[in-house]
Amino acid sequence: MVSQDFTRPVASVRLFGWFRQNLFSSPFQALFTLGVLYLLYFVVRAVVQWSFIDANWSGNSREDCTQAGACWVFIKVRFEQFIYGFYPEAERWRVNTAFLLCILASLLLFVRSFPRKIWLGAFLLFVYPVLGYILLVGGAFGLPVVETQIWGGLMLTLVIAGIGIVGSLPIGIVLALGRRSTMPVIRAICVAFIELVRGVPLITILFMASVMLPMFLPEGINFDKLLRALIGVTLFAGAYMAEVVRGGLQAIPRGQYEAAASLGLGYWKIVGLVILPQALRIVIPGIVNTFIALFKDTTLVLIIGLFDLLGMIRAATTDPKWLGFDLEGYAFAGLVFWIFCFGMSRFSIALEKKLGPEDQRGWAR
Amino acid sequence: MVDVHKWFGDFHVLKGINLTVHKSERIVICGPSGSGKSTMIRCINRLEEHQRGRIIVDGIELTNDLKHIDQIRREVGIVFQQFNLFPHLTVIENLILAPVWSRRMRRDEAEQIAMKYLERVRIPEQAHKYPGQLSGGQQQRVAIARSLCMSPKIMLFDEPTSALDPEMIKEVLDVMISLAEEGMTMMVVTHEMGFARTVADRMMFMDGGEIIEESVPSEFFNNPKSERTKLFLSQILSQ
């Protein structure tokens, strides 16, 4: 007989019950679980052994690395170079100031009670770039000029990624709107641009920007290598961004356009006030996904002779004094990249939560 | 409207509509689905473009001139079947959006007017909620208030109660009746015949893109002239 018990069964021994149900429900399952645990044990043990227990931490040359594990001395000695490239030591405070300022202002944006966020946003978007330029490049207020040629390391990675991120979103939005435009010429231009740029590897674009472009430009006109890389990266990410944003635009029902239009709002107001706020919120995961890809793609600037973090590390491992420490170098690079990308991913989740309280109450129907 | 024609591709939706709406007049349009009722009233604020004939709203002719279109849209309110509230804005923000951005009204002034209309549709307490938190009937009343905030000269209703649960239809119709009593010019596409009887000055029956029959409600319901109207009425009233 079927029992008429409607109470929810309570897991009396929660943890034990969970293990039994999910990991040891049959002899085969149990065997499999034990096998995986055994493998995991070996891998984790080897990694911990290499990177912590047997690692070398102190000293300042390769002779100090006597133990079998990782030689972190290499990272320690080269650390400053990995961060700043060949930026002159005396001027490095400028880099620190620029980044601290950016982090501080961005964090303040997230403080709920902070007044006048619009001004803060305007500062970040319009004043900060100028300030950052003056700090990093110099040439004003008595700051000596630091050529972009000698920039490098994590600092260069962050500059390229940061400008790429800030630049690609508006470009992507404009391209996405253009692709949905009713005007055939605008649509054709946007489609052509997106498909052309998306169909070509970033390396090709960077290479074109740095080698081919100067050939077409008249003699004497030669702009900065970093600037060319920045334009290349930004346009490349912009084309991807356009498709992400278009996905969001397509998710907005036609009724939203009609309702806004019937209230007498013009195209740009409809887009800016009604459509984009909804569309962008939908595609936050896709946008951040593109940002993360862009962050990692910055490593490709090595191809045109710019030394980002990975480029710096690679250069350091070819130094005769430190030959054979590739593993440490790449492990360090991996860790730094992971920290930044994971940070962006968490940021994306926080942003979704912050912007989406209505979301859980079923706002897009 | 003079001899208005419209095609969707090869499909001839409107076949020569002639219609004049006077100030404070209430017109109810009914007809089977696909008869072109919605398309006709959507032509009046240019959500649909007509291909032949002329449409003149409040002395301004609808052409491709974008300025005229926006000007007319500010004077013509429309309420949709699907409400089409802006889900990312609160109720009050929905209401003040167009006055602030299209009529360049000051924000506090717009809010005052918005609250006045929310009281009119009897939901001032919901002002700071999001549309997703309201019932269908409440959403549709917000949509009506949103249109009223632009102080339109005419209100179009495109099957305003068709997407509502039966118990919510009345609260929306009540608001519409009170609007009619205050002398708002209205064109309503609806199958609510009870509402039509109480409110309409003129009834209109459409089928196949044409206005088949046009008369005062008493005549329309008690003594329809065309066979198609009779059939339609018998079907809809027997429900």
Side-chain angles (χ1 to χ4, degrees):
Chain A
M1 215 189 109
V2 183
S3 71
Q4 290 285 317
D5 183 9
F6 290 118
T7 54
R8 184 166 177 249
V10 183
S12 49
V13 230
R14 278 246 172 103
L15 195 66
F16 181 74
W18 185 89
F19 271 109
R20 219 179 123 157
Q21 204 170 23
N22 293 292
L23 299 175
F24 297 97
S25 57
S26 72
F28 176 73
Q29 279 259 359
L31 210 65
F32 193 73
T33 303
L34 289 175
V36 169
L37 279 179
Y38 188 65
L39 267 176
L40 214 62
Y41 166 72
F42 265 94
V43 172
V44 170
R45 200 184 71 159
V47 169
V48 171
Q49 190 100 32
W50 181 78
S51 52
F52 295 106
I53 299 172
D54 289 346
N56 305 276
W57 300 91
S58 56
N60 39 34
S61 76
R62 69 178 303 156
E63 279 69 42
D64 294 315
C65 290
T66 47
Q67 296 211 53
C71 180
W72 298 125
V73 178
F74 167 54
I75 306 293
K76 205 176 79 181
V77 170
R78 293 302 187 104
F79 187 74
E80 296 257 301
Q81 224 179 62
F82 291 162
I83 304 295
Y84 301 103
F86 300 106
Y87 209 89
E89 237 167 283
E91 307 294 332
R92 283 178 187 167
W93 63 270
R94 285 157 54 178
V95 181
N96 295 341
T97 316
F99 283 105
L100 275 179
L101 214 62
C102 180
I103 291 167
L104 198 71
S106 312
L107 281 181
L108 277 180
L109 269 186
F110 261 77
V111 178
R112 197 175 290 257
S113 56
F114 192 79
R116 310 215 176 246
K117 279 197 187 161
I118 292 181
W119 291 108
L120 194 61
F123 167 79
L124 265 175
L125 269 183
F126 301 109
V127 183
Y128 181 75
V130 180
L131 213 64
Y133 180 85
I134 293 172
L135 270 171
L136 292 181
V137 180
F141 304 112
L143 294 172
V145 175
V146 180
E147 295 277 340
T148 56
Q149 299 277 354
I150 59 173
W151 294 18
L154 182 62
M155 163 216 170
L156 184 69
T157 300
L158 289 179
V159 167
I160 298 174
I163 294 177
I165 284 172
V166 173
S168 64
L169 189 58
I171 291 177
I173 290 172
V174 169
L175 283 172
L177 290 173
R179 193 168 186 167
R180 287 166 58 86
S181 164
T182 47
M183 285 174 267
V185 178
I186 290 179
R187 194 172 56 225
I189 292 173
C190 290
V191 171
F193 180 86
I194 292 169
E195 295 304 336
L196 186 75
V197 174
R198 269 202 320 166
V200 174
L202 179 57
I203 292 187
T204 320
I205 292 179
L206 289 174
F207 196 72
M208 291 275 277
S210 103
V211 181
M212 304 285 279
L213 202 63
M215 284 198 233
F216 297 127
L217 289 173
E219 201 79 28
I221 294 184
N222 191 12
F223 52 96
D224 199 86
K225 199 200 278 180
L226 176 61
L227 183 63
R228 279 179 275 165
L230 280 176
I231 294 172
V233 167
T234 307
L235 291 182
F236 185 77
Y240 275 89
M241 195 59 74
E243 290 299 278
V244 172
V245 174
R246 191 165 68 98
L249 292 177
Q250 254 155 7
I252 306 300
R254 213 178 121 200
Q256 293 287 310
Y257 289 91
E258 289 180 351
S262 69
L263 290 166
L265 295 169
Y267 175 78
W268 290 109
K269 283 176 188 162
I270 296 176
V271 167
L273 297 170
V274 176
I275 306 302
L276 275 182
Q278 297 183 57
L280 290 183
R281 189 186 306 187
I282 295 174
V283 293
I284 288 174
I287 292 175
V288 175
N289 201 21
T290 311
F291 285 166
I292 289 176
L294 177 136
F295 188 79
K296 291 189 290 186
D297 277 349
T298 55
T299 51
L300 293 174
V301 295
L302 185 65
I303 215 86
I304 57 169
L306 291 170
F307 287 87
D308 73 316
L309 175 63
L310 196 63
M312 264 344 271
I313 288 172
R314 220 179 280 183
T317 56
T318 55
D319 178 349
K321 274 195 284 181
W322 292 101
L323 276 181
F325 290 113
D326 306 48
L327 197 55
E328 284 83 352
Y330 285 115
F332 176 69
L335 182 70
V336 173
F337 273 97
W338 181 80
I339 288 172
F340 276 95
C341 293
F342 185 67
M344 279 195 262
S345 156
R346 301 310 298 180
F347 176 77
S348 144
I349 292 171
L351 196 66
E352 270 177 79
K353 281 210 178 119
K354 190 180 156 75
L355 292 178
E358 315 84 292
D359 200 298
Q360 288 126 34
R361 298 170 200 142
W363 66 280
R365 31 181 89 227
Chain B
M1 284 177 120
V2 183
D3 190 33
V4 171
H5 289 257
K6 175 172 179 60
W7 287 263
F8 281 134
D10 285 338
F11 181 57
H12 201 169
V13 212
L14 298 180
K15 300 173 184 164
I17 302 284
N18 287 291
L19 170 67
T20 309
V21 184
H22 303 286
K23 198 167 180 330
S24 292
E25 196 176 24
R26 271 103 47 185
I27 296 179
V28 171
I29 301 145
C30 59
S33 53
S35 60
K37 332 173 280 282
S38 292
T39 311
M40 183 186 81
I41 71 166
R42 285 158 61 90
C43 277
I44 296 173
N45 67 351
R46 211 15 136 59
L47 289 179
E48 306 286 354
E49 196 177 329
H50 60 288
Q51 276 103 19
R52 218 174 87 192
R54 305 175 69 192
I55 299 177
I56 297 161
V57 183
D58 200 30
I60 305 168
E61 173 156 14
L62 269 174
T63 55
N64 280 326
D65 188 338
L66 286 176
K67 236 184 222 149
H68 282 174
I69 293 174
D70 280 349
Q71 209 175 335
I72 286 171
R73 281 176 176 167
R74 268 174 235 143
E75 307 300 333
V76 178
I78 184 164
V79 174
F80 301 90
Q81 186 179 348
Q82 298 294 341
F83 331 135
N84 293 342
L85 294 176
F86 307 129
H88 62 299
L89 302 175
T90 61
V91 166
I92 190 95
E93 286 167 343
N94 263 278
L95 264 60
I96 65 171
L97 185 79
V100 168
W101 290 94
S102 181
R103 285 218 193 278
R104 308 193 170 283
M105 203 182 272
R106 287 220 330 274
R107 201 186 158 89
D108 49 345
E109 195 184 340
E111 270 176 16
Q112 260 175 26
I113 294 173
M115 282 314 291
K116 189 182 88 187
Y117 284 116
L118 276 183
E119 268 157 40
R120 273 287 305 281
V121 299
R122 283 172 244 128
I123 35 174
E125 71 281 1
Q126 313 283 5
H128 297 286
K129 287 197 185 167
Y130 286 93
Q133 296 166 276
L134 306 183
S135 73
Q138 290 172 327
Q139 289 194 44
Q140 192 61 298
R141 285 187 280 155
V142 171
I144 294 173
R146 180 174 67 180
S147 286
L148 290 176
C149 281
M150 291 294 282
S151 29
K153 298 202 168 114
I154 179 172
M155 288 279 283
L156 311 173
F157 292 85
D158 186 2
E159 305 203 27
T161 55
S162 300
L164 294 176
D165 291 336
E167 68 265 33
M168 294 171 184
I169 290 178
K170 188 174 175 295
E171 62 188 54
V172 172
L173 289 182
D174 283 348
V175 168
M176 289 167 64
I177 290 170
S178 80
L179 258 184
E181 281 163 357
E182 282 162 39
M184 172 65 77
T185 315
M186 292 163 77
M187 283 180 83
V188 185
V189 172
T190 186
H191 293 151
E192 294 295 327
M193 289 305 138
F195 168 80
R197 256 190 246 259
T198 21
V199 163
D201 294 321
R202 222 188 325 163
M203 290 296 300
M204 220 167 262
F205 175 72
M206 280 185 75
D207 195 13
E210 291 167 297
I211 298 175
I212 304 286
E213 186 156 351
E214 198 184 331
S215 55
V216 292
S218 55
E219 187 82 357
F220 186 83
F221 286 108
N222 302 329
N223 194 11
K225 287 183 220 78
S226 107
E227 281 306 312
R228 275 193 275 180
T229 316
K230 274 180 204 160
L231 186 67
F232 177 78
L233 282 176
S234 70
Q235 276 168 351
I236 208 155
L237 292 175
S238 67
Q239 278 171 7

